[in-house]
């Protein structure tokens, strides 16, 4: 019997705790990505309407999946601020790459060709997408080994933070930073971790 589960329920081992913490931290990358889409005060729903032809093309070529198309329809129908809980990192990265004004990295939108010294916004989008793929293509969908956590966590701790400093407004950055600091230490995360609704991890197997 697997000692880490009882009657199909996960016990909060270190591997499970680290996985939950990593998934929460990954959600923090949503804000800077959305900031690249909502420039000059234009809400995402308005941008989606203006770029409908490109969205149709992305759906036709399966760059945007069927479940993501439904999410975008919900975003277009919403009023008020964009609900980040409806979006995931993969979809945001696809949108930034295809309908925003962000310039592509020096060597294009190919992770293997990205220059290590490329500090452009496009390069940071690639880095976040790569971190997201590493998080969501683990052997388990509920836990992470210490070795893998130690490999992913420093990148996740650095890239979204630097990225948000560069592109987010002062008001959103202040609110974002307060929660970010709590989540970057195990003890702080324990205080922060309450039964809040958060975006589920995207379907395993999809890459941006």
């Amino acid at each position: 019997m697997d000692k880490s589960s009882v009657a199909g329920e996960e016990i909060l081992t270190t591997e499970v705790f680290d996985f939950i913490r990593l998934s929460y931290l990954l959600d923090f990358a949503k804000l800077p990505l959305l900031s690249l889409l909502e420039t000059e005060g234009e809400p995402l729903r308005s941008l989606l309407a203006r770029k409908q032809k490109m969205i149709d093309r992305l759906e036709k070529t399966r760059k945007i999946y069927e479940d993501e198309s439904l999410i975008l329809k919900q975003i277009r129908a919403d009023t008020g601020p964009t609900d980040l809980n409806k979006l995931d990192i993969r979809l945001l990265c696809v949108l930034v790459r295809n309908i925003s004004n962000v310039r592509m990295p020096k060597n294009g939108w190919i992770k293997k060709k990205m220059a290590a010294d490329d500090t452009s916004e496009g390069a940071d989008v690639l880095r976040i997408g790569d971190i997201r793929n590493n998080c969501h293509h683990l052997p388990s969908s509920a836990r992470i080994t210490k070795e893998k956590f130690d490999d992913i966590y420093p990148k996740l701790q650095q890239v979204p933070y630097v990225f948000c400093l560069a592109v987010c407004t002062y008001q959103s950055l202040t609110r974002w930073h307060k929660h970010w600091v709590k989540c970057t230490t195990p003890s702080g995360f324990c205080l922060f971790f309450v039964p809040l609704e958060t975006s589920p991890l995207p379907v395993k197997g999809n890459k941006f």
Side-chain angles (χ1 to χ4, degrees), residues 58 63-64 68 89-99 125 207-208:
L58 293 170
K63 296 291 195 308
I64 292 178
E68 294 172 330
I89 300 296
R90 198 204 86 86
L91 179 55
L92 284 166
C93 285
V94 170
L95 293 176
V96 169
R97 287 173 58 165
N98 289 279
I99 67 171
V125 172
K207 288 190 176 182
F208 97 96

Side-chain angles (χ1 to χ4, degrees), residues 57-93:
R57 192 177 309 151
L58 293 170
E59 291 173 343
K60 187 175 181 180
T61 56
R62 291 195 55 77
K63 296 291 195 308
I64 292 178
Y65 298 107
E66 187 175 346
D67 58 329
E68 294 172 330
S69 296
L70 295 175
I71 291 170
L72 294 183
K73 286 180 181 178
Q74 292 176 22
I75 296 294
R76 285 195 291 266
D78 286 344
T79 58
T82 302
D83 185 356
L84 273 175
N85 286 329
K86 292 180 179 178
L87 298 161
D88 69 16
I89 300 296
R90 198 204 86 86
L91 179 55
L92 284 166
C93 285

Side-chain angles (χ1 to χ4, degrees), residues 146-162:
K146 184 180 185 304
E147 292 75 20
K148 194 66 177 175
F149 179 84
D150 289 344
D151 175 55
I152 296 175
Y153 178 72
K155 303 170 189 174
L156 188 54
Q157 189 178 28
Q158 180 184 19
V159 175
Y161 182 78
V162 173

Side-chain angles (χ1 to χ4, degrees), residues 160-175:
Y161 182 78
V162 173
F163 196 20
C164 199
L165 287 176
V167 304
C168 294
T169 64
Y170 177 78
Q171 182 180 9
S172 61
L173 177 61
T174 302
R175 185 172 60 253

Side-chain angles (χ1 to χ4, degrees), residues 6 33 37 40 51 54 67 77 89 94 117 149 177 181 194 200:
V6 176
L33 289 170
L37 292 162
E40 299 180 4
K51 301 289 186 176
M54 175 57 75
D67 58 329
I89 300 296
V94 170
D117 62 347
F149 179 84
H177 185 266
V181 170
V194 293

